[in-house]
Amino acid sequence: MQYDVILPAAGSGKRMAAGHNKLFLELRNKPILIHTLEVFQQDEACRGIWLAVKPDEKAYIQTLLEKYHITKVKAMPNGGEERQHSVVACVKQIEDGQIVLVHDAARPFITIPIIHELVEAAEKKGAAIAGVKAKDTMKVVENGKIKGTVDRSSLWMIQTPQAFDFTLLKKAEQQAETDNFLGTDEAMLVERLGQSVYIVESSYENVKITTKEDLIFGDAILSQRIGG
Ligand SMILES: Nc1ccn([C@@H]2O[C@H](COP(=O)(O)OP(=O)(O)OP(=O)(O)O)[C@@H](O)[C@H]2O)c(=O)n1
Ligand SMILES: C[C@](O)(CO)[C@H](O)COP(=O)(O)O
């Protein structure tokens, strides 16, 4: 069970408003980006890491890779305007992928058992994504008015990693480019091909560091894991 992982890390962190790439913020004295990279560096099933970065951040990231002995990064292509474009930039660099995962570099708390469940599911079914069951009631709102409530029993909050047969992922990205379609995750691109995508139940700890409150939650997760 081998896989490659694409880590889009070329965002602007607007919602974090840190004044720089939020992935350079530290949790327990270590950059968020490194926390994420270390999971895949340590996973023997991970063949290679493909990291989409901002051109002007490449040199700094290279120093981080050397400092933390991250040796699996195969390429650091320039990210794009949208997350999807950053993922495509990595897809174009992978030559002989079989199972490829796409994982937000901003999700540092993913664990190897969940990764392996996703890889196994993608090997069997072609596409599998991480998610957790919705905990809040979800409603459709238009102009400040509730238009309806979505049945929560079938609602999941979707995360990454998202694992794919590489041929399928490439086909989905190519079709999206042809159609000028922009999705918020890669699963959307595969779904629109009519391909079934399967869920693997993940953890509520697998948060995406997006706003400042997530840093508080993230520190608490690390404290619990380290026992500190
Ligand atoms: N053009 C982009 C946008 C996002 N990302 C990456 O995709 C992941 C998830 O995106 P998000 O959490 O939205 O990060 P940002 O786009 O940086 O945040 P914001 O939307 O608040 O600006 C992050 O690891 C981010 O670095 C990327 O590689 N290229
Ligand atoms: C891919 C994702 O993490 C699934 O929930 C999410 O859609 C990314 O959204 P973002 O706005 O690009 O962070």
PDB file of all heavy atoms in Angstrom, residues 15 22 83 104 107 157-160 162 184-186 208 210, ligand 2:
ATOM      1  N   ARG A  15      -8.366  34.589   6.090  1.00  0.00           N
ATOM      2  CA  ARG A  15      -9.248  34.489   7.263  1.00  0.00           C
ATOM      3  C   ARG A  15      -8.434  34.438   8.559  1.00  0.00           C
ATOM      4  O   ARG A  15      -8.925  34.797   9.614  1.00  0.00           O
ATOM      5  CB  ARG A  15     -10.146  33.258   7.135  1.00  0.00           C
ATOM      6  CG  ARG A  15     -11.225  33.393   6.077  1.00  0.00           C
ATOM      7  CD  ARG A  15     -11.916  32.071   5.776  1.00  0.00           C
ATOM      8  NE  ARG A  15     -11.063  31.203   4.962  1.00  0.00           N
ATOM      9  CZ  ARG A  15     -11.451  29.991   4.534  1.00  0.00           C
ATOM     10  NH1 ARG A  15     -12.646  29.507   4.860  1.00  0.00           N
ATOM     11  NH2 ARG A  15     -10.656  29.251   3.791  1.00  0.00           N
ATOM     12  N   LYS A  22      -0.270  31.479   6.947  1.00  0.00           N
ATOM     13  CA  LYS A  22      -0.632  30.928   8.264  1.00  0.00           C
ATOM     14  C   LYS A  22       0.120  29.625   8.565  1.00  0.00           C
ATOM     15  O   LYS A  22       0.241  29.230   9.722  1.00  0.00           O
ATOM     16  CB  LYS A  22      -2.134  30.678   8.333  1.00  0.00           C
ATOM     17  CG  LYS A  22      -2.637  29.626   7.346  1.00  0.00           C
ATOM     18  CD  LYS A  22      -4.142  29.485   7.371  1.00  0.00           C
ATOM     19  CE  LYS A  22      -4.626  28.472   6.355  1.00  0.00           C
ATOM     20  NZ  LYS A  22      -6.099  28.382   6.307  1.00  0.00           N
ATOM     21  N   ARG A  83      -7.024  27.189  -4.733  1.00  0.00           N
ATOM     22  CA  ARG A  83      -6.506  25.928  -4.177  1.00  0.00           C
ATOM     23  C   ARG A  83      -6.447  24.836  -5.242  1.00  0.00           C
ATOM     24  O   ARG A  83      -5.467  24.105  -5.383  1.00  0.00           O
ATOM     25  CB  ARG A  83      -7.406  25.494  -3.017  1.00  0.00           C
ATOM     26  CG  ARG A  83      -7.024  24.211  -2.344  1.00  0.00           C
ATOM     27  CD  ARG A  83      -8.050  23.819  -1.290  1.00  0.00           C
ATOM     28  NE  ARG A  83      -7.787  22.491  -0.758  1.00  0.00           N
ATOM     29  CZ  ARG A  83      -8.076  21.365  -1.417  1.00  0.00           C
ATOM     30  NH1 ARG A  83      -8.637  21.420  -2.638  1.00  0.00           N
ATOM     31  NH2 ARG A  83      -7.810  20.195  -0.883  1.00  0.00           N
ATOM     32  N   ASP A 104      -4.857  19.153   2.738  1.00  0.00           N
ATOM     33  CA  ASP A 104      -4.563  20.545   3.060  1.00  0.00           C
ATOM     34  C   ASP A 104      -3.359  20.607   3.993  1.00  0.00           C
ATOM     35  O   ASP A 104      -3.374  19.977   5.049  1.00  0.00           O
ATOM     36  CB  ASP A 104      -5.753  21.196   3.786  1.00  0.00           C
ATOM     37  CG  ASP A 104      -7.017  21.229   2.960  1.00  0.00           C
ATOM     38  OD1 ASP A 104      -6.920  21.494   1.756  1.00  0.00           O
ATOM     39  OD2 ASP A 104      -8.092  20.962   3.535  1.00  0.00           O
ATOM     40  N   ARG A 107      -4.030  21.228   7.659  1.00  0.00           N
ATOM     41  CA  ARG A 107      -4.635  20.224   8.548  1.00  0.00           C
ATOM     42  C   ARG A 107      -3.524  19.368   9.176  1.00  0.00           C
ATOM     43  O   ARG A 107      -3.232  18.267   8.718  1.00  0.00           O
ATOM     44  CB  ARG A 107      -5.622  19.339   7.783  1.00  0.00           C
ATOM     45  CG  ARG A 107      -6.892  20.045   7.316  1.00  0.00           C
ATOM     46  CD  ARG A 107      -7.849  19.077   6.641  1.00  0.00           C
ATOM     47  NE  ARG A 107      -8.986  19.750   6.041  1.00  0.00           N
ATOM     48  CZ  ARG A 107     -10.148  19.980   6.668  1.00  0.00           C
ATOM     49  NH1 ARG A 107     -10.310  19.584   7.932  1.00  0.00           N
ATOM     50  NH2 ARG A 107     -11.139  20.609   6.059  1.00  0.00           N
ATOM     51  N   MET A 157     -19.353  16.730   7.463  1.00  0.00           N
ATOM     52  CA  MET A 157     -18.396  17.820   7.262  1.00  0.00           C
ATOM     53  C   MET A 157     -17.150  17.201   6.636  1.00  0.00           C
ATOM     54  O   MET A 157     -16.478  16.372   7.250  1.00  0.00           O
ATOM     55  CB  MET A 157     -18.061  18.482   8.598  1.00  0.00           C
ATOM     56  CG  MET A 157     -19.289  19.077   9.283  1.00  0.00           C
ATOM     57  SD  MET A 157     -18.900  20.016  10.759  1.00  0.00           S
ATOM     58  CE  MET A 157     -18.274  18.747  11.845  1.00  0.00           C
ATOM     59  N   ILE A 158     -16.885  17.615   5.399  1.00  0.00           N
ATOM     60  CA  ILE A 158     -15.839  16.964   4.623  1.00  0.00           C
ATOM     61  C   ILE A 158     -14.477  17.592   4.907  1.00  0.00           C
ATOM     62  O   ILE A 158     -14.349  18.801   5.064  1.00  0.00           O
ATOM     63  CB  ILE A 158     -16.155  17.020   3.121  1.00  0.00           C
ATOM     64  CG1 ILE A 158     -17.465  16.271   2.837  1.00  0.00           C
ATOM     65  CG2 ILE A 158     -15.015  16.441   2.284  1.00  0.00           C
ATOM     66  CD1 ILE A 158     -17.493  14.832   3.348  1.00  0.00           C
ATOM     67  N   GLN A 159     -13.477  16.740   5.004  1.00  0.00           N
ATOM     68  CA  GLN A 159     -12.113  17.173   5.289  1.00  0.00           C
ATOM     69  C   GLN A 159     -11.181  16.727   4.151  1.00  0.00           C
ATOM     70  O   GLN A 159     -11.619  16.324   3.086  1.00  0.00           O
ATOM     71  CB  GLN A 159     -11.637  16.524   6.599  1.00  0.00           C
ATOM     72  CG  GLN A 159     -12.540  16.756   7.810  1.00  0.00           C
ATOM     73  CD  GLN A 159     -12.130  15.894   8.999  1.00  0.00           C
ATOM     74  OE1 GLN A 159     -11.392  14.916   8.856  1.00  0.00           O
ATOM     75  NE2 GLN A 159     -12.614  16.250  10.188  1.00  0.00           N
ATOM     76  N   THR A 160      -9.925  16.785   4.411  1.00  0.00           N
ATOM     77  CA  THR A 160      -8.927  16.066   3.625  1.00  0.00           C
ATOM     78  C   THR A 160      -8.163  15.216   4.636  1.00  0.00           C
ATOM     79  O   THR A 160      -8.236  15.503   5.841  1.00  0.00           O
ATOM     80  CB  THR A 160      -7.930  17.025   2.926  1.00  0.00           C
ATOM     81  OG1 THR A 160      -7.146  17.716   3.890  1.00  0.00           O
ATOM     82  CG2 THR A 160      -8.670  18.002   2.016  1.00  0.00           C
ATOM     83  N   GLN A 162      -8.097  13.450   0.759  1.00  0.00           N
ATOM     84  CA  GLN A 162      -8.984  12.880  -0.232  1.00  0.00           C
ATOM     85  C   GLN A 162      -8.109  12.008  -1.125  1.00  0.00           C
ATOM     86  O   GLN A 162      -7.126  12.495  -1.685  1.00  0.00           O
ATOM     87  CB  GLN A 162      -9.714  13.981  -1.005  1.00  0.00           C
ATOM     88  CG  GLN A 162     -10.525  14.886  -0.059  1.00  0.00           C
ATOM     89  CD  GLN A 162     -11.525  15.769  -0.749  1.00  0.00           C
ATOM     90  OE1 GLN A 162     -11.556  15.883  -1.986  1.00  0.00           O
ATOM     91  NE2 GLN A 162     -12.401  16.398   0.029  1.00  0.00           N
ATOM     92  N   THR A 184     -14.540  23.291  -4.516  1.00  0.00           N
ATOM     93  CA  THR A 184     -13.895  23.588  -3.232  1.00  0.00           C
ATOM     94  C   THR A 184     -13.137  22.382  -2.691  1.00  0.00           C
ATOM     95  O   THR A 184     -12.427  22.494  -1.693  1.00  0.00           O
ATOM     96  CB  THR A 184     -14.943  24.041  -2.183  1.00  0.00           C
ATOM     97  OG1 THR A 184     -15.974  23.038  -2.092  1.00  0.00           O
ATOM     98  CG2 THR A 184     -15.566  25.377  -2.590  1.00  0.00           C
ATOM     99  N   ASP A 185     -13.326  21.239  -3.348  1.00  0.00           N
ATOM    100  CA  ASP A 185     -12.475  20.084  -3.041  1.00  0.00           C
ATOM    101  C   ASP A 185     -12.351  19.230  -4.295  1.00  0.00           C
ATOM    102  O   ASP A 185     -13.083  19.425  -5.275  1.00  0.00           O
ATOM    103  CB  ASP A 185     -13.006  19.287  -1.841  1.00  0.00           C
ATOM    104  CG  ASP A 185     -14.288  18.523  -2.127  1.00  0.00           C
ATOM    105  OD1 ASP A 185     -14.891  18.695  -3.204  1.00  0.00           O
ATOM    106  OD2 ASP A 185     -14.707  17.740  -1.253  1.00  0.00           O
ATOM    107  N   GLU A 186     -11.440  18.291  -4.286  1.00  0.00           N
ATOM    108  CA  GLU A 186     -11.190  17.464  -5.487  1.00  0.00           C
ATOM    109  C   GLU A 186     -12.330  16.465  -5.681  1.00  0.00           C
ATOM    110  O   GLU A 186     -12.650  16.089  -6.806  1.00  0.00           O
ATOM    111  CB  GLU A 186      -9.854  16.726  -5.348  1.00  0.00           C
ATOM    112  CG  GLU A 186      -8.637  17.599  -5.695  1.00  0.00           C
ATOM    113  CD  GLU A 186      -8.508  18.812  -4.811  1.00  0.00           C
ATOM    114  OE1 GLU A 186      -8.563  18.660  -3.577  1.00  0.00           O
ATOM    115  OE2 GLU A 186      -8.377  19.931  -5.367  1.00  0.00           O
ATOM    116  N   LYS A 208      -8.988  22.084  10.039  1.00  0.00           N
ATOM    117  CA  LYS A 208      -8.177  22.924   9.146  1.00  0.00           C
ATOM    118  C   LYS A 208      -7.918  24.226   9.882  1.00  0.00           C
ATOM    119  O   LYS A 208      -8.857  24.919  10.294  1.00  0.00           O
ATOM    120  CB  LYS A 208      -8.933  23.182   7.844  1.00  0.00           C
ATOM    121  CG  LYS A 208      -8.158  24.011   6.850  1.00  0.00           C
ATOM    122  CD  LYS A 208      -8.756  23.913   5.465  1.00  0.00           C
ATOM    123  CE  LYS A 208     -10.154  24.462   5.438  1.00  0.00           C
ATOM    124  NZ  LYS A 208     -10.177  25.945   5.568  1.00  0.00           N
ATOM    125  N   THR A 210      -7.801  27.626  10.114  1.00  0.00           N
ATOM    126  CA  THR A 210      -8.336  28.647   9.223  1.00  0.00           C
ATOM    127  C   THR A 210      -8.428  30.021   9.876  1.00  0.00           C
ATOM    128  O   THR A 210      -8.037  31.015   9.292  1.00  0.00           O
ATOM    129  CB  THR A 210      -9.742  28.225   8.735  1.00  0.00           C
ATOM    130  OG1 THR A 210      -9.661  26.905   8.184  1.00  0.00           O
ATOM    131  CG2 THR A 210     -10.274  29.181   7.668  1.00  0.00           C
TER     132      THR A 210
HETATM  133  C1  LIG B   2     -10.868  20.775   0.846  1.00  0.00           C
HETATM  134  C2  LIG B   2     -11.551  21.196   2.120  1.00  0.00           C
HETATM  135  O1  LIG B   2     -10.631  21.185   3.182  1.00  0.00           O
HETATM  136  C3  LIG B   2     -12.668  20.235   2.427  1.00  0.00           C
HETATM  137  O2  LIG B   2     -13.410  20.716   3.531  1.00  0.00           O
HETATM  138  C4  LIG B   2     -12.117  22.622   2.026  1.00  0.00           C
HETATM  139  O3  LIG B   2     -13.096  22.689   1.005  1.00  0.00           O
HETATM  140  C5  LIG B   2     -11.034  23.625   1.720  1.00  0.00           C
HETATM  141  O4  LIG B   2     -11.646  24.901   1.719  1.00  0.00           O
HETATM  142  P1  LIG B   2     -10.707  26.190   1.698  1.00  0.00           P
HETATM  143  O5  LIG B   2     -11.624  27.366   1.734  1.00  0.00           O
HETATM  144  O6  LIG B   2      -9.909  26.091   0.417  1.00  0.00           O
HETATM  145  O7  LIG B   2      -9.859  26.067   2.913  1.00  0.00           O
END
